Amino acid sequence: MVDETTRMIDVYRHDAHKFHGQSHVDAPEEFAGVPVNRAVPYGADADAAALSRPPGRHEPVVPTHETHYRLSLLTGDAVYIPDSRSRAAVENDVRDLLTVADAESAHECWLHSDVATLFNEAVAFPYTSLKYHTLLVAALSDTYRSGLSFENLHLVVDPTNEIVPHRTVYSGDRFALRIDAHDGNRPSARLGSRPWRSWASTWNRLTAHPLNTDYDRWDMALDANLRRIWAWSTALQYLEDFTRWRGVQ
Amino acid sequence: MEGGTVTRIQQVLWKLEMDYIGHPYYVSGNAILHALRQSLDSSVSRTLHASHGMFVPGQFGRFPEEHSQSGVQPYLGGGLPEVNAYEDLFLHREPDHRWLLESRPREALNTHGLRTDAGYPTLAYRTIIGRPRGHRNETQTTRWYVHAYLHADDPAALPLGEATLSDVQFGGKRTYGYGEATLKDTRLVELEALEYSRLEGADVHLIRLITPFVTASDYPGANDVAVPRWWAEDRGDLRFREEHLLAAGEPYVLETIDHGQVVEYLGDRPVETARNGLTRIGSHSRMGFGEFRVIPVLDRAETTHGHGREGR
């Protein structure tokens, strides 16, 4: 019998090979002394993948960018162009992120990680985000582990800094987003009966939006774009990138 | 089909030629009427109704399953395909544009590039994918289009000619050239001549709000409007958003039920309701508010389990 806590820490390390552009087949079983690249239980990895990319094998949608570095939906540019200096720093941050010992701490580190935003979750879909894919896998694993099935799940809007271990998938300056069972007191929307690229559909059905779309033109522009995005990890990363970008406008 | 009634709508597709500063969800019907008024006789412009103008990426696409046509078509977003059935009217009217191809970077093609001008967000008139870095990298440019439709109290007012529609400007900073658009295509559609069999073939229907439904307006003479009785949802179930209407230089505040939401239809005349959704309901419907789409649910279980609300 595998210890449940061990399982959750494995979730945060399950895609370690994607930091190094390795395929799952070539992925090592250990990195910096910790076990990595283990399969995620309950099919949570496949379900999270279905939230952000189409099923099956695909040619890269941007043929000029066939790498594991993410393309920014906000700027259109690669978010990371490695050189010898940055490579060492990134390698360090990756090691720190993957070697966190405790699963709840790992969740918090991923929520606030910068290094995990540099990589996509699939080379063919460069606008996806390894950071948010991993957080979605964690949220699904944890909810499935507690006996909930996908069709019980909702996207729930929480106040900022209210982090629910493993289930919070986005934590920003103004609000947090969580995947969980229905919470009657908070704005929420049901995810549906099966995982698909349903970000826009779910965001559109939230009972309240955590943005000031009555008057704030930047929030309106953000909301307008969020209603156009299908892929969950792309949308959550866009929220993060937009918030940071807006701060310097 | 009711005898004698003919409702014609004129679809219009404009191509953005410059960046746009303005409402980021759509070009409001009010802005479209304002733009057209410049070149129209007041007797014609008084009779016109304009939908909101939806932003469409001029991309390749595959007709959605419910469309009367099928297959992949080049520049589906940059043209007005034939309209045979009710569903065909919505091809360009929902911002997630599910017709975009899987093989293309759909998120990048379907989100607006944003710039700042004097503190305001500006929507780019084109999207460039695959920036040249180094040499000989391919780039692909996609242009943005605006899709709207008109109808008129006096059916003889339509169609508007190309001269009227050809060069328009939307949004703010127009003296600097922002919001310039040119006519790409236009098409006249008779609503009574369309196929409604998908709606007739279902016992259960949902309604998706394509544009906000106005429930209160501080515009003089506008009445408060209750949530329609033929929706299963009431106010507490719905998301509201404030909108603003500029009339004769004065801004008026509107309380609206935000677009994009889905409600359950309780009525038993889905085809009639569907046509009303095209000519729109509620206050300020002449200016684009209150447009909705009726969606047939083929399996009752899909509603109770929420599947039908997932956006298909």
Side-chain angles (χ1 to χ4, degrees):
Chain A
M1 178 92 186
V2 182
D3 172 60
E4 301 260 298
T5 323
T6 315
R7 283 184 159 189
M8 277 317 288
I9 191 67
D10 283 345
V11 168
Y12 294 101
R13 297 167 177 169
H14 85 280
D15 266 343
H17 61 284
K18 290 188 177 174
F19 286 101
H20 301 103
Q22 296 159 322
S23 73
H24 193 75
V25 183
D26 302 328
E29 288 177 11
E30 205 180 279
F31 172 77
V34 297
V36 293
N37 302 322
R38 290 190 170 173
V40 173
Y42 316 109
D45 192 15
D47 284 359
L51 288 174
S52 302
R53 42 193 219 260
R57 288 188 67 81
H58 291 266
E59 294 296 311
V61 295
V62 182
T64 55
H65 184 88
E66 205 174 336
T67 87
H68 59 300
Y69 305 122
R70 185 173 66 86
L71 278 180
S72 164
L73 192 61
L74 190 67
T75 65
D77 294 328
V79 290
Y80 173 46
I81 297 154
D83 57 39
S84 52
R85 253 181 80 137
S86 63
R87 209 184 287 272
V90 164
E91 194 51 42
N92 240 346
D93 291 349
V94 169
R95 184 177 297 113
D96 287 350
L97 182 64
L98 292 177
T99 54
V100 175
D102 165 68
E104 279 193 27
S105 312
H107 174 245
E108 292 230 18
C109 287
W110 275 86
L111 272 179
H112 301 111
S113 173
D114 287 330
V115 76
T117 68
L118 305 182
F119 303 90
N120 56 52
E121 63 172 270
V123 171
F125 299 96
Y127 297 95
T128 58
S129 162
L130 182 54
K131 171 175 175 171
Y132 288 101
H133 168 67
T134 304
L135 288 164
L136 289 165
V137 177
L140 293 183
S141 297
D142 191 57
T143 48
Y144 293 170
R145 181 173 74 143
S146 74
L148 294 165
S149 64
F150 188 85
E151 60 175 24
N152 303 132
L153 299 180
H154 286 70
L155 175 67
V156 181
V157 182
D158 286 325
T160 187
N161 294 328
E162 190 175 307
I163 289 170
V164 177
H166 309 308
R167 298 191 183 185
T168 299
V169 293
Y170 170 84
S171 169
D173 297 342
R174 299 161 67 194
F175 59 90
L177 297 174
R178 163 167 58 107
I179 287 182
D180 213 329
H182 183 57
D183 183 331
N185 302 316
R186 300 270 165 86
S188 74
R190 206 172 153 266
L191 298 194
S193 54
R194 63 194 164 76
W196 61 289
R197 282 161 296 152
S198 56
W199 167 264
S201 161
T202 310
W203 177 259
N204 262 322
R205 287 178 292 105
L206 274 177
T207 47
H209 279 160
L211 301 170
N212 176 10
T213 49
D214 291 348
Y215 285 97
D216 186 314
R217 284 167 177 266
W218 292 98
D219 275 6
M220 289 163 73
L222 169 61
D223 182 27
N225 271 343
L226 287 174
R227 293 172 189 235
R228 312 182 78 91
I229 300 173
W230 300 20
W232 277 72
S233 78
T234 305
L236 294 169
Q237 186 67 61
Y238 188 76
L239 254 178
E240 177 183 328
D241 291 353
F242 185 97
T243 308
R244 187 169 302 179
W245 173 72
R246 184 185 171 171
V248 296
Q249 292 304 300
Chain B
M1 206 172 291
E2 303 91 312
T5 333
V6 176
T7 315
R8 301 160 103 194
I9 65 169
Q10 184 176 7
Q11 295 182 312
V12 186
L13 192 69
W14 285 286
K15 185 181 193 180
L16 271 186
E17 303 288 350
M18 269 286 284
D19 289 356
Y20 160 85
I21 302 180
H23 205 305
Y25 299 105
Y26 32 67
V27 176
S28 72
N30 193 28
I32 290 171
L33 288 175
H34 181 80
L36 296 178
R37 207 171 288 140
Q38 324 283 329
S39 53
L40 280 180
D41 195 274
S42 67
S43 65
V44 176
S45 63
R46 258 201 307 273
T47 176
L48 275 188
H49 299 236
S51 74
H52 286 345
M54 300 302 183
F55 295 106
V56 186
Q59 260 290 324
F60 282 57
R62 183 187 300 279
F63 285 109
E65 185 261 325
E66 72 274 14
H67 201 281
S68 68
Q69 297 181 66
S70 60
V72 172
Q73 183 158 313
Y75 303 105
L76 192 58
L80 290 175
E82 207 175 298
V83 176
N84 304 304
Y86 170 69
E87 288 74 21
D88 300 356
L89 292 169
F90 294 94
L91 183 66
H92 292 143
R93 303 219 39 90
E94 301 192 44
D96 60 348
H97 294 304
R98 305 203 68 88
W99 48 268
L100 285 161
L101 297 183
E102 299 281 15
S103 55
R104 300 198 171 211
R106 53 199 324 165
E107 263 78 23
L109 294 166
N110 195 34
T111 42
H112 297 286
L114 299 175
R115 290 196 305 106
T116 308
D117 187 305
Y120 287 113
T122 304
L123 308 192
Y125 75 104
R126 60 180 182 179
T127 306
I128 301 172
I129 306 280
R131 298 267 166 90
R133 192 175 297 286
H135 59 285
R136 280 191 298 170
N137 272 351
E138 281 175 54
T139 62
Q140 272 196 7
T141 301
T142 300
R143 295 289 294 269
W144 282 100
Y145 292 79
V146 175
H147 177 281
Y149 62 92
L150 309 166
H151 68 279
D153 299 324
D154 172 11
L158 296 183
L160 299 188
E162 293 198 2
T164 304
L165 299 169
S166 58
D167 295 296
V168 290
Q169 254 188 307
F170 303 124
K173 285 208 160 188
R174 293 195 290 275
T175 47
Y176 295 89
Y178 280 100
E180 272 182 23
T182 53
L183 179 67
K184 180 67 194 321
D185 204 355
T186 180
R187 178 183 287 279
L188 209 59
V189 177
E190 223 170 80
L191 297 187
E192 286 74 14
L194 297 179
E195 183 69 53
Y196 292 88
S197 57
R198 286 178 64 96
L199 296 183
E200 288 159 344
D203 296 330
V204 180
H205 301 82
L206 301 174
I207 286 174
R208 184 149 58 229
L209 301 182
I210 303 294
T211 66
F213 174 73
V214 178
T215 46
S217 164
D218 65 9
Y219 187 81
N223 296 321
D224 288 0
V225 179
V227 174
R229 279 192 315 248
W230 36 279
W231 297 5
E233 282 72 6
D234 59 34
R235 287 182 67 97
D237 305 319
L238 296 161
R239 183 178 74 242
F240 283 76
R241 184 166 61 81
E242 214 167 277
E243 276 271 359
H244 304 91
L245 180 74
L246 203 65
E250 285 292 315
Y252 297 97
V253 176
L254 318 179
E255 178 196 78
T256 76
I257 298 174
D258 197 7
H259 65 289
Q261 294 178 90
V262 179
V263 298
E264 194 173 337
Y265 177 58
L266 299 178
D268 55 5
R269 286 176 299 180
V271 174
E272 194 182 323
T273 304
R275 284 197 209 128
N276 290 338
L278 293 166
T279 51
R280 299 182 294 276
I281 59 167
S283 299
H284 307 301
S285 62
R286 202 169 88 83
M287 298 164 182
F289 290 97
E291 176 183 347
F292 63 84
R293 174 178 186 170
V294 179
I295 300 162
V297 181
L298 302 173
D299 176 3
R300 173 79 226 188
E302 290 192 351
T303 333
T304 42
H305 294 123
H307 179 82
R309 291 161 189 243
E310 289 170 27
R312 292 296 164 90

